[in-house]
């Protein structure tokens, strides 16, 4: 019979369970979307149409047909681009609803096309571009150069963020 001799080095290089995973992101595990039944969606709510986060502007339900499913017809406006999208789905089916987050920031500076914004906790961020919407962009720039204290409303969904409104700072 052959004799087997196993020799292990003094320091082993075996991976522990913690070494096997590489966690780069530190989010709270919140999903970009959640499912909701078509019949539960409402006008002025949000929904994903053609993989884009949209605000529902029109909604109508057709009667049940020969095969028994009422259909919901939705028209939505992309919350970032303003583009119009439409979709029809059975009222019993689920649709994805984006997790939409709104936050007001104080405008503290403008550098090229980016705004320097500060939240209520004093945290600053410089990664939000001036809006593509020309009248809103002009209003923000004019009020900043006139040394007015203003709040910029930023909306975020599906890893996108954009400035959508401006209002005076409360006294």
């Amino acid at each position: 019979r052959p004799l087997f001799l196993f020799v292990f080095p003094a320091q082993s290089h075996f991976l522990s369970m913690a070494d096997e995973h590489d966690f780069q992101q530190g989010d709270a595990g919140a999903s970009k979307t959640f499912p909701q039944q078509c019949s539960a969606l409402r006008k002025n709510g949000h929904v994903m149409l053609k993989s884009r986060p949209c605000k529902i502007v029109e909604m109508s339900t057709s009667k049940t047909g020969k095969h028994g499913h009422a259909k919901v017809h939705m028209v939505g406006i992309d919350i970032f681009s303003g583009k119009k999208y439409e979709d029809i789905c059975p009222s019993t089916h689920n649709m994805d609803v984006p997790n939409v987050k709104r936050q007001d920031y104080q405008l503290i500076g403008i550098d090229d096309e980016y705004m320097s914004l500060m939240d209520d906790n004093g945290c600053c961020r410089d990664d939000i571009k001036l809006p593509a919407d020309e009248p809103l962009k002009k209003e923000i720039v004019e009020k900043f150069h006139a040394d007015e204290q203003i709040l910029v409303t930023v909306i975020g969904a599906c890893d996108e963020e954009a400035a959508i409104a401006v209002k005076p700072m409360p006294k």
Side-chain angles (χ1 to χ4, degrees):
R1 289 183 168 184
L3 180 67
F4 291 103
L5 181 65
F6 293 101
V7 179
F8 291 101
Q11 187 180 22
S12 79
H13 293 286
F14 292 108
L15 290 176
S16 71
M17 287 288 271
D19 296 332
E20 291 178 24
H21 303 288
D22 185 23
F23 297 109
Q24 291 293 322
Q25 287 175 290
D27 64 8
S31 176
K32 294 178 181 91
T33 62
F34 61 92
Q36 190 171 19
Q37 196 168 337
C38 272
S39 57
L41 296 170
R42 296 285 170 253
K43 190 176 174 182
N44 293 325
H46 294 95
V47 70
M48 296 294 285
L49 297 175
K50 311 281 190 254
S51 300
R52 296 294 302 156
C54 297
K55 182 173 186 170
I56 302 169
V57 291
E58 268 180 60
M59 210 170 154
S60 60
T61 308
S62 66
K63 288 189 171 137
T64 54
K66 188 162 78 170
H67 300 289
H69 283 291
K71 299 247 190 299
V72 176
H73 174 251
M74 276 176 281
V75 178
I77 305 285
D78 188 311
I79 59 176
F80 297 112
S81 69
K83 197 172 166 188
K84 190 185 230 182
Y85 292 99
E86 287 188 57
D87 201 3
I88 297 173
C89 81
S91 63
T92 55
H93 284 205
N94 282 344
M95 286 198 77
D96 285 331
V97 177
N99 281 314
V100 179
K101 194 178 102 192
R102 284 173 81 100
Q103 189 166 358
D104 288 336
Y105 293 93
Q106 182 181 351
L107 180 67
I108 54 175
I110 296 176
D111 185 27
D112 287 330
E113 289 294 303
Y114 290 89
M115 297 179 286
S116 290
L117 303 168
M118 183 172 66
D119 67 10
D120 297 336
N121 302 324
C123 297
C124 294
R125 57 185 300 183
D126 303 307
D127 58 337
I128 304 289
K129 276 190 164 186
L130 281 165
D133 177 40
E134 235 6 90
L136 180 60
K137 179 179 181 177
K138 187 178 176 196
E139 182 183 0
I140 291 172
V141 171
E142 283 176 358
K143 288 186 177 193
F144 175 71
H145 289 304
D147 288 330
E148 288 184 42
Q149 294 290 310
I150 57 171
L151 290 175
V152 176
T153 303
V154 175
I155 194 167
C158 302
D159 293 333
E160 279 184 69
E161 288 183 302
I164 57 155
V166 63
K167 57 188 174 189
M169 190 91 168
K171 300 284 184 235

